[in-house]
Amino acid sequence: MTAAFNTNTAASTGAIGWALVDYIRHRRRFSLIGACEGVIAGLVGITPAAGYVSVWLAAVIGFLTAIVCALCASINKWIGIDDGLEVFKLHAIGGMMGSFLTGIFATSSISMLDGGTDAPGGIDGVGAQVGRQFAEIGAISSYSFVVSCALLLILKYIPGMHLRVPHEAESAGLDMDQFFEEQIGDWSINDLT
């Protein structure tokens, strides 16, 4: 039950954290899409910690993860990737942040609620757990990078499979190129013909 409360709490504070960054960055304005991205960041951040932290610390994890992800607004340009849905920013950066904060905030009193798992973190005086979390972040990031590159390389050489759509299809819109109608929204209001 604690994991469910933690998940909802982190999602809520994630929305607040992202909206706060937007409010400061955009001169007292924020967006609903930003708040939704904050919810996702909070959910990603709490995933490794949901069964190991108290509800109050789940709120902190969701809030901090959303703030860090919101501050990485231009990371796609820095590393040169085409990521229209912000998946890397929200899931990779958010996951690393959540894993790191799990090492700091994991408590034995919560992890022992299942009757057998004793997982103390830095807050319980086991600072070595933070180092273990960094090792985990490095191992998972390396594995994900190597496997993703291998799968993309395989896809590149399968006939009919392409890593990118043609420029013409991208300009016209993927809905019109890949499907027979627009799937998201009615953009006909923008047609001035």
Side-chain angles (χ1 to χ4, degrees), residues 31-190:
S31 73
L32 181 59
I33 292 174
C36 290
E37 286 181 309
V39 168
I40 294 169
L43 289 170
V44 170
I46 197 59
T47 297
Y52 300 100
V53 298
S54 66
V55 175
W56 302 111
L57 292 175
V60 171
I61 289 172
F63 187 76
L64 291 177
T65 302
I67 287 175
V68 167
C69 289
L71 293 175
C72 291
S74 57
I75 192 143
N76 292 344
K77 290 179 186 173
W78 294 345
I79 60 177
I81 60 173
D82 181 14
D83 182 12
L85 296 175
E86 309 291 342
V87 174
F88 180 80
K89 176 175 68 176
L90 292 172
H91 289 83
I93 303 296
M96 290 178 198
M97 187 70 182
S99 183
F100 168 67
L101 292 174
T102 300
I104 294 173
F105 295 136
T107 57
S108 292
S109 61
I110 300 297
S111 67
M112 288 296 288
L113 290 175
D114 70 355
T117 305
D118 186 19
I123 202 166
D124 280 347
V126 182
Q129 185 61 36
V130 177
R132 291 183 198 120
Q133 294 300 112
F134 274 126
E136 175 218 5
I137 290 167
I140 290 172
S141 298
S142 301
Y143 173 81
S144 298
F145 180 78
V146 169
V147 171
S148 295
C149 286
L151 290 173
L152 290 172
L153 187 65
I154 291 168
L155 281 176
K156 182 178 178 180
Y157 293 106
I158 295 176
M161 299 292 288
H162 305 287
L163 297 180
R164 291 199 58 111
V165 297
H167 180 69
E168 297 80 25
E170 196 169 334
S171 295
L174 293 181
D175 283 343
M176 298 309 288
D177 182 69
Q178 304 290 321
F179 307 105
F180 63 91
E181 64 183 0
E182 289 191 63
Q183 299 296 316
I184 300 176
D186 180 13
W187 299 101
S188 61
I189 194 169
N190 295 329

Side-chain angles (χ1 to χ4, degrees), residues 19-40:
L20 180 65
V21 171
D22 276 353
Y23 188 80
I24 294 168
R25 181 183 289 155
H26 299 292
R27 297 186 189 115
R28 301 177 59 152
R29 297 184 317 177
F30 55 90
S31 73
L32 181 59
I33 292 174
C36 290
E37 286 181 309
V39 168
I40 294 169

